[in-house]
Amino acid sequence: RLYFFPFKYQTFDLTSAVFSVATDNYVLLSNISVAAAMISSHEQYLFKEYCINVTSNTLSIHFTPGRNSYAFINALEVLSMPSDIILDDSSPIGVNIPVPIGIPYYSLQTMYRLNVGGPLVTPVNDSLRRTWQSNETYLTSTRGVQPVSIQASQILYPTSIPEYFAPRHVYSTALQIAALDTAQPKFNISWTFPIDAGFLYMVRFHFCEIVYTTESQRLFNVYLQKQVAFSGLDIISKAVYPDSAYFRDFTVDASAAEDTTMWIDIGPTPNGGVGSDNAILNGLEIWKLNNSVGSLDGMISVPPHSVSRSRIGPVVGGVAGGVAALSLLLAGFCFFCCQKSKAMSSSPTWLPLPMHGWNSSSIGSKGSTVSHKSGTGSYVSSVPSNLGRFFTFAEI
């Protein structure tokens, strides 16, 4: 997770910075102007999240400034994700069965993560410290749309879906079609999302039947790009129980130049019979997959990298333009720590990141559980406990 906020410091004007960010194998950002990106997105700062399958014991992140420019970063998070959270079982549009595409060989950028029907879910209520936005910005119309919810404690997780796939606060809220006058035509609940053309996308729908209690009371269709992605979905028949979490992944090919909008709809199944006049959705995630040259931003592949320690700004974290790339080599931090502090009896281990304002009631070793509390209640995190690692200033 990369955080950017440009500012002026002495002779450095980061609002004019243009630079690229890449790992050893994938381009994450290409010739980006953070200031311009903030203006176009109407955000107060720039945030980017990526999922990268690291097959070695190091992760290198290279910041390469443009000519006569700077490269900078304000904050960086690296979290180890459960290996089963991104599965290679997505379905192409119109195919109700999974068709593997080789997900382990892709890098992914998180484009959108929504708590449909509910408020903002902050990292303190997510065991992987994710943020789930509310969906008002992307909902095309609120007419005929009804929010529904239950207590988060009522949500059930089957053995095939660990709780870290999405928090209870996502599955316990939803949008469904409101009861309409019979004279009004049937319609869909629709969302639109700006996307970058020329890429493959994976879309994850989070479902939980929190209104009805038996099968066949709700049958509906899922649409992607105005095409049927799944026909006649009965959530309880898939999840087995009401109030039980369920998700489906789909792939969307947006390779055409005109593919700059992602259309997502849920609506009644035509001629579906009893229970077919409604639809529901609880959560939504959209990822962009790298293209054929290994890039998530344009058609420029990973350039050769060289590391230079000259002209690195220790305060603003900038690198003078056109000279070298600044590499954040995480394994190098660990090695440097061991070299400086030989009194340490053993290498640092990965521990659970404290949640809820960074005030965790306990930090356990691998295999333990961690109890967390927040203003919205308490729970015991089900996420594996060795996915976080703090680097203190003394270590670095």
Side-chain angles (χ1 to χ4, degrees):
R1 294 172 182 158
L2 309 178
Y3 298 82
F4 302 97
F5 181 79
F7 57 88
K8 295 180 180 180
Y9 176 79
Q10 295 181 356
T11 61
F12 297 95
D13 183 4
L14 301 185
T15 61
S16 62
V18 176
F19 57 95
S20 300
V21 183
T23 66
D24 285 339
N25 300 308
Y26 303 105
V27 173
L28 308 182
L29 296 169
S30 180
N31 293 321
I32 186 172
S33 166
V34 173
M38 289 169 54
I39 293 174
S40 62
S41 63
H42 306 288
E43 298 291 345
Q44 295 182 340
Y45 64 95
L46 186 64
F47 168 74
K48 298 290 183 179
E49 180 182 278
Y50 304 92
C51 302
I52 300 172
N53 184 21
V54 180
T55 57
S56 66
N57 58 358
T58 61
L59 170 63
S60 299
I61 305 176
H62 309 274
F63 292 75
T64 306
R67 183 178 297 275
N68 298 321
S69 189
Y70 306 100
F72 73 94
I73 186 167
N74 303 80
L76 169 69
E77 288 183 284
V78 179
L79 294 88
S80 178
M81 296 174 60
S83 59
D84 61 350
I85 198 169
I86 304 292
L87 302 173
D88 195 13
D89 62 354
S90 58
S91 302
I93 296 176
V95 180
N96 281 8
I97 60 173
V99 178
I101 59 173
I103 281 293
Y105 302 100
Y106 281 95
S107 62
L108 292 79
Q109 177 182 350
T110 303
M111 302 296 290
Y112 303 97
R113 182 176 288 123
L114 302 185
N115 179 26
V116 177
L120 174 76
V121 176
T122 61
V124 298
N125 285 311
D126 186 298
S127 56
L128 292 180
R129 293 192 55 77
R130 294 164 296 190
T131 297
W132 300 73
Q133 298 176 304
S134 58
N135 74 162
E136 287 86 354
T137 302
Y138 309 101
L139 191 65
T140 59
S141 174
T142 58
R143 175 184 172 273
V145 176
Q146 177 187 23
V148 292
S149 63
I150 61 174
Q151 293 295 321
S153 59
Q154 295 178 244
I155 298 301
L156 305 173
Y157 288 88
T159 55
S160 59
I161 303 179
E163 188 173 342
Y164 52 73
F165 268 71
R168 296 175 184 271
H169 294 285
V170 171
Y171 285 118
S172 62
T173 59
L175 288 183
Q176 69 173 9
I177 299 175
L180 299 174
D181 189 293
T182 55
Q184 293 179 316
K186 297 179 181 179
F187 68 99
N188 297 337
I189 303 177
S190 303
W191 296 263
T192 59
F193 302 90
I195 59 173
D196 301 321
F199 293 90
L200 187 67
Y201 289 83
M202 189 169 80
V203 183
R204 174 168 292 176
F205 292 82
H206 293 275
F207 298 107
C208 187
E209 183 53 79
I210 58 177
V211 178
Y212 299 114
T213 57
T214 59
E215 294 183 23
S216 302
Q217 289 185 281
R218 188 198 304 268
L219 297 173
F220 63 97
N221 286 356
V222 176
Y223 301 89
L224 282 165
Q225 303 301 73
K226 302 298 184 179
Q227 303 176 61
V228 177
F230 195 100
S231 178
L233 177 60
D234 183 344
I235 298 174
I236 295 182
S237 71
K238 297 293 185 180
V240 181
Y241 300 105
D243 304 336
S244 184
Y246 175 70
F247 74 91
R248 281 298 300 262
D249 292 341
F250 298 92
T251 50
V252 177
D253 185 354
S255 57
E258 63 271 15
D259 291 333
T260 58
T261 301
M262 177 83 70
W263 288 86
I264 294 178
D265 301 80
I266 56 172
T269 300
N271 305 317
V274 177
S276 63
D277 291 334
N278 213 320
I280 191 171
L281 181 62
N282 304 75
L284 193 63
E285 294 179 274
I286 301 176
W287 292 282
K288 178 170 66 174
L289 281 62
N290 66 268
N291 56 24
S292 58
V293 298
S295 176
L296 285 160
D297 188 12
M299 291 300 296
I300 299 177
S301 58
V302 176
H305 298 292
S306 62
V307 179
S308 172
R309 294 185 181 180
S310 62
R311 307 188 69 181
I312 295 177
V315 178
V316 297
V319 182
V323 177
L326 169 64
S327 299
L328 298 182
L329 188 57
L330 300 185
F333 283 159
C334 297
F335 177 79
F336 182 70
C337 166
C338 295
Q339 289 292 97
K340 287 190 66 178
S341 180
K342 295 183 179 180
M344 296 177 64
S345 59
S346 61
S347 300
T349 58
W350 287 80
L351 298 174
L353 288 174
M355 312 290 290
H356 309 289
W358 302 99
N359 291 318
S360 175
S361 60
S362 65
I363 299 180
S365 60
K366 184 176 181 179
S368 65
T369 59
V370 183
S371 176
H372 307 293
K373 294 184 178 180
S374 70
T376 58
S378 62
Y379 66 91
V380 176
S381 172
S382 65
V383 71
S385 64
N386 62 332
L387 300 183
R389 170 77 171 90
F390 278 130
F391 293 95
T392 66
F393 283 116
E395 289 178 277
I396 296 174

